Amino acid sequence: MSTPFPFTAVVGQDDLRLALLLNAVSPAVGGVLVRGEKGTAKSTAVRALSALMPEVDVVAGCRFSCAPAAPDPACPDGPHEVGPGVQRPARMVELPVGASEDRLVGALDIERALAEGVKAFEPGLLADAHRGILYVDEVNLLHDHLVDLLLDAAAMGASYVEREGVSVRHAARFLLVGTMNPEEGELRPQLLDRFGLTVEVAASREPDQRVEVVRRRLAYDDDPDGFAARWADEETAVRARIVAARKLLPSVVLGDGPLRQIAATCAAFEVDGMRADIVMARTATTLAAWAGRTEVLAEDVRQAALLALPHRRRRNPFDAPGLDEDKLDETLEEFGSGDGSGGSNDSGDEDPDPDGPDGPDGGGGQPPQEGPDSGDDGSGESSGEVPAQGEPSESGQAPSPGAGEQAPVRAAEPFRTKVLSVPGLGEGAAGRRSRARTEHGRTTGARRPQGALTKLHLAATVQAAAPHQRARGRSGPGLVVRRDDLRQATREGREGNLVLFVVDASGSMAARQRMSAVKGAVLSLLLDAYQRRDKVGLVTFRGSTGEVALPPTSSVDAAAVRLESLPTGGRTPLAAGLLRAHDVLRVERLRDPARRALVVLVTDGRATGGPEPVALAGRAARLFAADGVASVVVDCESGPVRLGLAGQLAGELGGTAVTLDELRADSIAGLVRDVQGNNRRAA
């Protein structure tokens, strides 16, 4: 086993280190979710923490790590007698993104359970992680049902496995740590709330600190053992401090004053539910124990708020997590206990080792939000108007800023959209949009298992075994079941799709009020895609070409940012936009062949530039129909004179067309349309 990078050698990342150490002292805090860009030592810090965890006493031979002083009475390997045990290091168990449900919670031997009536149970990763660390890298890419199981076990301290009336329960108390890159997609707000603390990390912009990071990393790569030996004293000191804080924690008093500050802070920031209050109380208490105190102070409450509240304040998926620290200080001061510490920002002044692993006061809050799109609102571009039909410049190229291009306009308020789904039955990743064969959902039939049996169809299994009972010499009440009798349940649920938005950004769409409505409609569809766990992509076309504004990604909020900064102007190269979208789908089909696509074309149907632009667009559209790609055209045509080109284009695509008004779920246009409605009528 390779030597891990020392925890105390991690440069900076004070909030990350503090949050991990608090959970090491008290797993009841609820774990920590680490959000940040790639290459910011998220995984390094988590793996380094395992070396600091004190050793645990376990019952010899118990697969579920029961404590010898108080063994679990319901342990599947029990019952155990109270007595001496053996010591071993605390484990750090990693949950792969592609893990199955049985690998996570364990699996029952269904054949032995039916034939012999015994609970033959193979423990999963939750059992391995008991009294240790369970680490999920890229937790935002984990299937939702696995995240639900994981967080339920973390909250209850136990894991339950049930298969057709046969159940097993075992203890599962662990320090839960998840890391994620928000660019690759967000967690649902309900799942975010289940993590006790959340930390935002970003690479330092200070050259001296970056130099030190590189210096230490190179030294570790050259000689891991020697590098770890140089930090051994610091590691030992932190390990001892964790043990001391654990012993002190039961003696820490959370007085009425700090408790009132906690409640007032959660109310001031309009946090839903009571979980935030409980997590803040536990975190503040643990902070006091970590500082060697038996009394919770206002600075503990402040630091607890900075770690426990930012991710709980999101009102929609496109809100960045964060906390107004001025408002926080005002609330703490208003509801302070009169000791003058309510508005203090110096939460680390009493720390006997300000340069220790928890660093300075930690700061909490948000790192600077950076990115190529976040700060460019187009304010430096000319706001000159474009002709109604988007006449091109003499060069025929897309107009550059100041040459007829309009600055981006803000999207109108989003609304709830009608359900757009891909017809047929898919087998893609679990989601909430289109029908698919899935591991979870309603049972629709049975089949012989291919590989390990995961979902038993009991009635079909009994039906298959019943005719052979006499030949198998059945003499008692039990059913004689053989491997060939077992039947796997086939289930139907919902899958997530790739929703590829193809948006007309030409001059014909450039009227500000109109483009604002169009962006509002696309934003509404993006919200719907977020809720239905889709991947999204964004292709735009204007001037003379189509371009990929956002390659397919699980980060729906990244698409919203690109949409917000989308400028308009120039001619309408509809065919070029469709061809570029077709190329995107071709490449994505090679990467993820099981994920079906839904193309949402947002246009008024007009095409300009080049010979026969409308006919050329029709030929490009027929490529999608030939590939069987589901599509819907959002018709943005307005005014008293309508050409109906969007409807014709929808026919070429083999899909259907809806107007902006018909896209609303509460419109009076009629029933919800399937994207292949035209094909159904034709059939």
Side-chain angles (χ1 to χ4, degrees):
M1 181 177 179
S2 61
T3 303
F5 191 91
F7 187 85
T8 52
V10 175
V11 179
Q13 308 296 15
D14 300 323
D15 288 341
L16 169 58
R17 291 188 294 164
L18 178 59
L20 291 173
L21 288 168
L22 293 177
N23 276 276
V25 172
S26 175
V29 167
V32 56
L33 175 65
V34 187
R35 297 163 42 95
E37 59 197 25
K38 52 188 176 294
T40 50
K42 300 188 297 293
S43 299
T44 299
V46 175
R47 293 189 174 99
L49 179 67
S50 62
L52 295 179
M53 300 289 287
E55 291 189 334
V56 294
D57 293 322
V58 299
V59 174
C62 178
R63 298 175 297 168
F64 301 88
S65 302
C66 282
D72 181 7
C75 176
D77 283 356
H80 304 297
E81 296 291 336
V82 176
V86 296
Q87 278 197 333
R88 64 161 175 79
R91 294 176 181 149
M92 192 193 77
V93 177
E94 294 194 40
L95 174 62
V97 169
S100 66
E101 180 180 337
D102 286 345
R103 184 70 186 99
L104 176 64
V105 300
L108 288 171
D109 188 331
I110 302 297
E111 186 174 0
R112 291 190 63 191
L114 288 176
E116 303 174 28
V118 298
K119 296 179 181 179
F121 182 68
E122 183 66 29
L125 295 177
L126 291 180
D128 292 341
H130 180 46
R131 305 177 68 197
I133 301 173
L134 182 59
Y135 172 45
V136 188
D137 194 14
E138 307 294 352
V139 64
N140 52 322
L141 303 183
L142 199 65
H143 284 237
D144 280 354
H145 74 280
L146 292 183
V147 179
D148 285 329
L149 289 170
L150 182 65
L151 295 176
D152 283 343
M156 295 185 296
S159 174
Y160 295 85
V161 183
E162 300 204 14
R163 295 287 189 275
E164 273 68 36
V166 182
S167 63
V168 171
R169 172 217 169 269
H170 65 83
R173 292 184 294 276
F174 45 82
L175 192 168
L176 175 63
V177 183
T179 58
M180 59 174 283
N181 183 348
E183 294 177 357
E184 297 173 342
E186 285 285 357
L187 279 173
R188 289 182 293 152
Q190 296 90 334
L191 299 181
L192 275 175
D193 183 58
R194 299 290 291 275
F195 280 93
L197 309 180
T198 298
V199 177
E200 296 278 338
V201 296
S204 172
R205 300 299 186 256
E206 293 293 329
D208 290 343
Q209 196 171 67
R210 296 175 74 96
V211 166
E212 186 62 22
V213 171
V214 175
R215 182 181 289 122
R216 293 187 186 183
R217 186 69 211 190
L218 293 178
Y220 170 77
D221 290 341
D222 289 342
D223 183 9
D225 293 334
F227 184 81
R230 291 196 292 274
W231 290 88
D233 291 342
E234 288 83 352
E235 295 281 287
T236 301
V238 174
R239 192 179 297 110
R241 190 174 175 185
I242 292 174
V243 173
R246 284 183 174 183
K247 292 180 179 178
L248 183 62
L249 185 61
S251 304
V252 177
V253 176
L254 178 63
D256 290 342
L259 188 56
R260 184 173 176 80
Q261 286 181 317
I262 290 171
T265 300
C266 292
F269 285 100
E270 301 179 353
V271 177
D272 295 333
M274 295 299 297
R275 184 175 283 119
D277 303 63
I278 296 171
V279 170
M280 275 190 65
R282 289 173 175 165
T283 305
T285 303
T286 309
L287 279 163
W290 178 249
R293 289 184 271 101
T294 57
E295 182 182 1
V296 174
L297 302 180
E299 54 258 34
D300 300 323
V301 176
R302 184 181 193 278
Q303 185 66 63
L306 293 172
L307 293 172
L309 294 188
H311 62 295
R312 293 185 165 91
R313 295 197 61 248
R314 302 182 74 190
R315 286 294 177 263
N316 69 64
F318 305 142
D319 290 340
L323 208 64
D324 185 341
E325 295 193 35
D326 291 336
K327 181 178 179 180
L328 173 61
D329 290 334
E330 292 172 3
T331 303
L332 292 176
E333 185 174 357
E334 179 182 355
F335 291 89
S337 58
D339 60 3
S341 62
S344 171
N345 291 340
D346 302 319
S347 59
D349 287 350
E350 70 285 329
D351 189 338
D353 182 13
D355 295 324
D358 56 334
D361 65 356
Q366 282 280 27
Q369 298 297 315
E370 301 187 17
D373 303 301
S374 59
D376 182 9
D377 61 359
S379 58
E381 298 179 354
S382 168
S383 59
E385 294 295 324
V386 219
Q389 296 301 320
E391 291 300 324
S393 60
E394 292 182 0
S395 65
Q397 300 297 316
S400 59
E405 179 180 300
Q406 290 191 357
V409 298
R410 299 189 65 83
E413 282 297 315
F415 51 85
R416 190 166 64 91
T417 66
K418 289 183 175 179
V419 179
L420 304 176
S421 61
V422 178
L425 195 63
E427 296 181 347
R432 299 182 177 182
R433 182 171 297 278
S434 305
R435 294 173 55 221
R437 298 182 186 91
T438 61
E439 288 295 318
H440 298 270
R442 64 185 181 90
T443 301
T444 58
R447 60 175 174 81
R448 292 181 180 273
Q450 299 172 350
L453 178 70
T454 56
K455 300 291 182 181
L456 177 74
H457 194 296
L458 184 58
T461 299
V462 172
Q463 185 177 8
H468 308 290
Q469 296 305 295
R470 180 173 297 180
R472 293 172 183 174
R474 173 187 171 187
S475 58
L479 191 68
V480 181
V481 179
R482 303 278 174 82
R483 173 69 184 176
D484 290 343
D485 301 328
L486 299 179
R487 294 295 182 268
Q488 175 87 20
T490 57
R491 302 194 174 194
E492 182 179 311
R494 294 279 169 175
E495 67 177 358
N497 299 117
L498 166 60
V499 182
L500 183 62
F501 294 92
V502 186
V503 181
D504 184 351
S506 66
S508 64
M509 304 281 287
R512 285 184 174 272
Q513 185 176 2
R514 184 179 180 191
M515 196 60 192
S516 177
V518 168
K519 284 188 175 182
V522 178
L523 186 63
S524 302
L525 290 167
L526 283 172
L527 279 166
D528 183 68
Y530 170 84
Q531 294 164 353
R532 299 185 187 281
R533 314 305 292 164
D534 295 316
K535 290 180 70 173
V536 297
L538 179 62
V539 173
T540 65
F541 55 94
R542 65 187 184 94
S544 60
T545 61
E547 62 180 37
V548 181
L550 183 71
T553 175
S554 297
S555 180
V556 177
D557 52 347
V561 171
R562 301 294 172 92
L563 177 71
E564 191 69 27
S565 61
L566 179 67
T568 56
R571 55 170 67 161
T572 311
L574 179 55
L578 290 172
L579 291 174
R580 180 57 60 91
H582 190 266
D583 286 342
V584 170
L585 292 183
R586 177 180 56 81
V587 173
E588 193 64 19
R589 200 175 294 119
L590 296 175
R591 293 175 177 168
D592 192 357
R595 188 181 291 268
R596 298 185 295 165
L598 171 63
V599 173
V600 179
L601 175 60
V602 184
T603 180
D604 56 9
R606 300 183 184 184
T608 60
E612 299 184 343
V614 175
L616 189 61
R619 288 198 293 272
R622 286 193 287 274
L623 294 175
F624 292 85
D627 290 343
V629 177
S631 59
V632 60
V633 178
V634 180
D635 185 0
C636 302
E637 190 173 27
S638 61
V641 179
R642 296 175 179 264
L643 303 179
L645 296 176
Q648 297 176 23
L649 188 62
E652 301 280 5
L653 286 165
T656 190
V658 295
T659 65
L660 289 175
D661 288 337
E662 291 172 340
L663 193 61
R664 294 178 178 270
D666 56 355
S667 71
I668 59 174
L671 299 176
V672 175
R673 301 189 185 193
D674 187 275
V675 295
Q676 208 178 23
N678 286 350
N679 287 352
R680 286 183 176 178
R681 286 191 293 272

